[in-house]
Amino acid sequence: MLEIVEQQLLTPAGLEQRHLDHVLDHLLGHQIDFADIYFQSSRLEAWTLEDGIVKEGAYSIEQGAGIRAISGEKTGFAYTDELQLPNLIQAADTARAIARAGQNRSIAVTAAGREQQLYGATNPLDTLSRDTKVELLQQVEQEARSQDVRVSQVIANLVAAYELVLVAGSDGVLRSDIRPLVRMNVHVIVEQDGRREQGTAGAGGRTTLEFFSRDNRGLELARDAVRQALVNLSAVDAPAGAMPVVLGAGWPGVLLHEAVGHGLEGDFNRKGTSAFAGRLGERVASPLCTVVDDGTLAERRGSLNMDDEGTATQQTVLIEKGVLKGYMQDKHNASLMGVMTTGNGRRESYAHLPMPRMTNTYMLAGEQDPAEIIASVDRGLYAVNFGGGQVDITSGKFVFSASEAYLIENGKVGSPVKGATLIGNGPEVMNRISMVGNDLQLDPGIGVCGKEGQSVPVGVGQPTLKIDELTIGGTV
Amino acid sequence: MMQFDQQQKEAQLRQLVDDVLREAVRQGASSAEVAARSDMGLSATVRLGEPETIEHTRDNSLSISVYFGHHKGTASTAELSGEAIHEAVSAACAIAKHTAEDEYAGLADAALMATEFPDLELYHPWDLDIQQALGLAVECESAARDYDPRISNSEGATLNTGEAVGVYGNTHGFLHGYPSSHHSLSCSVIAQQGDSMQRDYWYSTARSSAALAEAADIGERAAQRALARLNGRKLKTRQAPVLFRAETAAGLFNNLVHAISGSALYRRASFLLDALDTAIFPQWVNVEENPYLIQGLSSAAFDAEGVATKRRDLVADGILKSYVLGSYSARKLGLQTTGNAGGVRNLSIAMGDQDFAALLKTMDTGLVVTELMGQGVNQITGDYSRGASGFWVENGEIQYPVEEITIAGNLKTMFRQLVAVGNDDDYPGSIRTGSWLIESMMIAGE
């Protein structure tokens, strides 16, 4: 793979490996402990259907190199969208100036890891013709409209991205990755007697666009979005207050992303700003909970052959039977904390600095039948679909917003309720998980995680689970 | 440090935009529009008194929309080499051959193009070297850390300074650009007492360095905010008045703007459908948009389609007077563009005569919201449910901090139940408002 990426990324700019060594040599030796160069080239194509027609198509190009120089706890960073050697040297000069600011403390950075091939290297922009992409969206639209006469608007998006990445580090790393990523989203609005509601469904992964035509997956998304919108059309006001909450399997795993995931990123724990800082080995969740971050799942949206520092991704156990086992690390934080990187060093692009980020974060299956879990609740909420979430990693408070939820009454799923925000404290809520289902499911491939202004694709997952008490932000 | 010759840059980008427009026409486009931009900046972060990161930013971008009759294609590139631009133009043209005919697609009307370009004083470069940038960040963070012994940790302070040149052109012959600058200083610290650990931040942002708040004031305010949150309690679930502190009230403005924006309206995805010329607020509410504010954070004489922007009332005497439209959504709705392609520019609400303390007295008993969490707003129905933290108020005085609660209601009702807007518009940003007192909302807690 390295050769292919070198040919496409470096050769057109007249760059060879010896030039990269030259730039890295240029960076080191000025009290710089570690440096790396990150080359990236990406192409993205997006199509939008609305009002029954595919009215927009957009193509975008991004290419450049980011140069990072680390001196102890300090990082200098510069980037360029011109890949010629003089531009790289200039960026290197700028980045290494960090060593002159403040104190210096020496660190040693190491990383390695096996080579792995978790997804194909085919460019997903090319495998379907543009006509076929347009047709695919039209079929999705027709499927949605044919479900119900109350469907008043269908908006469908199809996105394919293809990214080449090459990392050269002063620790000897020289690795590349080819990263395809596709996604489809269907947004449906239904209207009845003046009341309007919406439903959304999406899916994707590191694969080609055939993902959506194969097994009629695109049509399935259309049906699911309509189903959800119609459910919301009959939704009653959501309750307000604390009560038991059963979360469905799959995408509701956004709970884990917010309640524990961010709080276990290495940077926050090194700095002591996370509610989980200094708690390794302590019980932070109910013993039913084992939570992992796993970047090695084939073709998953959050998976990577290597992270953005050239380290192979891995499965990292974060919480095992309720006990905090480890943090997610990139090279810099790992070396400052005296541990190994876990292959979680990620960045939005060459123009952003890497930091510890999640890949696919999920809870392992338990033993309970999901039906038993629902049957155990006298009065509570059953939430199966969510919008976004947010966490304050210092106080541990987090929210996530249900977009499809039902009341549970006397152990049975009852009326659908309007969307509501759920709020809790990460460690407290994790300790209140009293039942875990045997139905582990990963999300369909739609997650985007934001941190310090940088967005990266991620995955989440969980089995059906019960939280004994969680605050529901309804109105009645 | 900065070596940004903005005049030369602007001339280069104008030439580039002009060349690209010609190339699009050569490839058969009946009309086209191109925006190009170059940004350059410096970001310096210190943490616990020591430099942490220094980032040099330098970004270029070009985006093009081509129209073959009423078929549209768009492309963009973050790299301005000849090859990349050629690839982008070709891709946009190829895409336009596959998109459906859309009678509403096209440039804004030629007659609406801006013809006057007053100097809005948006360009104030800051000749700041790395040591000076770090120095200001240290001063800011130190003020926060020294403010109180309970400030136990820090996420650091960051000085950002940047300048940019943006040029927009279309095949009506419109071709204009201007330079701008933006600077900010922010600080985020952690207060700790017993088991309670709370983080909060403050910042200042402006077009010119002279208009930034003092570094020490920003730091002290960050410290005060973090300290005030210590030992927060939950509330019992109840209905109560809610006072949105100015910085959170600005978020309600964003919900309003979204609901009256063209794309939400023509998709019928707004809780304010058909609300034009109807009362959406009490009679005393007036909201103005002023794109011509000197040094304004969102000021501009023309929008993202070259259309002249206008100072106007969005809401007058509580009545919605205008939607927020670009040319596409305007045509879909059978209306005229309001010059809002790319968004609204410097909104302000006419403020009352009550300061924050007076608003507390007016509320008497209720919740002050200083932070909102999550995205729990349904723009189609107006249903609103978000995580919140702030303070519980009794007898017109703050009693204790509260956290881990939600507030819920419906935006349509909340707008109508606006009791007062304060004159305490003491937060940074392009939306000017004081705090909003809402008659009643559902608070969920224990």
Side-chain angles (χ1 to χ4, degrees), chain B residues 378-389:
Chain B
N378 183 333
Q379 288 283 351
I380 296 182
T381 59
D383 289 333
Y384 187 96
S385 166
R386 300 187 70 185
S389 53

Side-chain angles (χ1 to χ4, degrees), chain B residues 118-136:
Chain B
D119 181 8
L120 301 175
E121 298 178 27
L122 306 180
Y123 183 60
H124 301 270
W126 194 0
D127 185 19
L128 192 70
D129 67 26
I130 289 174
Q131 290 308 329
Q132 291 167 318
L134 290 170
L136 275 167

Side-chain angles (χ1 to χ4, degrees), chain A residues 43 47 50-51 53-63 73-79 81 94 98 100-103 130-131 134 153 155 189 191 196-198 240-242 270-275 350-351 353 388-395 397-399 401 418 420-421 423-425 428 471-476, chain B residues 47 50-60 72-80 84 87-88 91 94-95 98-102 131 134 153-155 190 197-199 229 234 237 266-270 273 328 332 371-376 378 380-381 383 385-388 403-406 408-409 442 444-446:
Chain A
R43 298 292 183 275
W47 296 87
E50 190 181 276
D51 294 326
I53 56 172
V54 174
K55 59 168 69 163
E56 280 209 67
Y59 181 83
S60 65
I61 301 169
E62 196 170 30
Q63 178 167 304
E73 294 189 40
K74 301 177 298 180
T75 304
F77 181 57
Y79 55 88
D81 58 12
T94 313
I98 185 72
R100 293 196 295 272
Q103 297 170 356
R130 285 180 166 138
D131 281 331
V134 167
Q153 177 66 275
I155 300 166
I189 298 173
E191 199 160 343
R196 280 165 292 116
E197 291 286 352
Q198 62 186 336
R270 169 172 68 84
K271 296 173 184 176
T273 57
S274 165
Y350 71 89
L353 273 171
Q390 191 184 337
V391 63
D392 176 335
I393 48 120
T394 303
S395 68
K397 305 290 180 281
F398 72 96
V399 295
S401 301
K418 286 184 169 191
T421 288
I423 189 164
N425 174 300
E428 268 173 39
T471 298
I472 302 165
T475 52
V476 290
Chain B
R47 180 170 173 267
E50 285 294 319
E52 185 174 63
T53 58
I54 294 172
E55 294 185 50
H56 298 266
T57 61
R58 190 185 274 263
D59 297 288
N60 296 301
K72 182 184 184 186
T74 67
S76 65
T77 173
E79 184 217 342
L80 301 189
E87 185 184 336
I95 284 170
H98 296 272
T99 50
E101 167 140 37
D102 182 354
Q131 290 308 329
L134 290 170
N153 200 346
S154 168
E155 291 198 315
I190 289 166
M197 185 158 85
Q198 294 287 346
R199 169 182 67 161
R229 296 169 70 136
K234 280 176 103 169
T237 300
Y266 80 72
R267 288 172 185 153
R268 299 182 61 76
S270 163
L273 281 190
Y328 180 78
K332 293 277 285 185
E371 188 182 68
L372 291 163
M373 285 181 86
Q375 301 88 39
N378 183 333
I380 296 182
T381 59
D383 289 333
S385 166
R386 300 187 70 185
E403 61 179 3
E404 209 182 320
I405 53 170
T406 60
M442 179 56 88
E446 289 175 304

Side-chain angles (χ1 to χ4, degrees), chain B residues 228-273:
Chain B
R229 296 169 70 136
L230 282 170
N231 303 310
R233 308 183 203 169
K234 280 176 103 169
L235 286 173
K236 293 264 182 247
T237 300
R238 71 182 89 192
Q239 198 91 35
V242 174
L243 178 58
F244 286 82
R245 192 77 169 83
E247 61 268 23
T248 56
L252 296 174
F253 251 134
N254 290 330
N255 297 139
L256 167 68
V257 168
H258 190 278
I260 60 172
S261 69
S263 58
L265 294 168
Y266 80 72
R267 288 172 185 153
R268 299 182 61 76
S270 163
F271 63 92
L272 289 178
L273 281 190

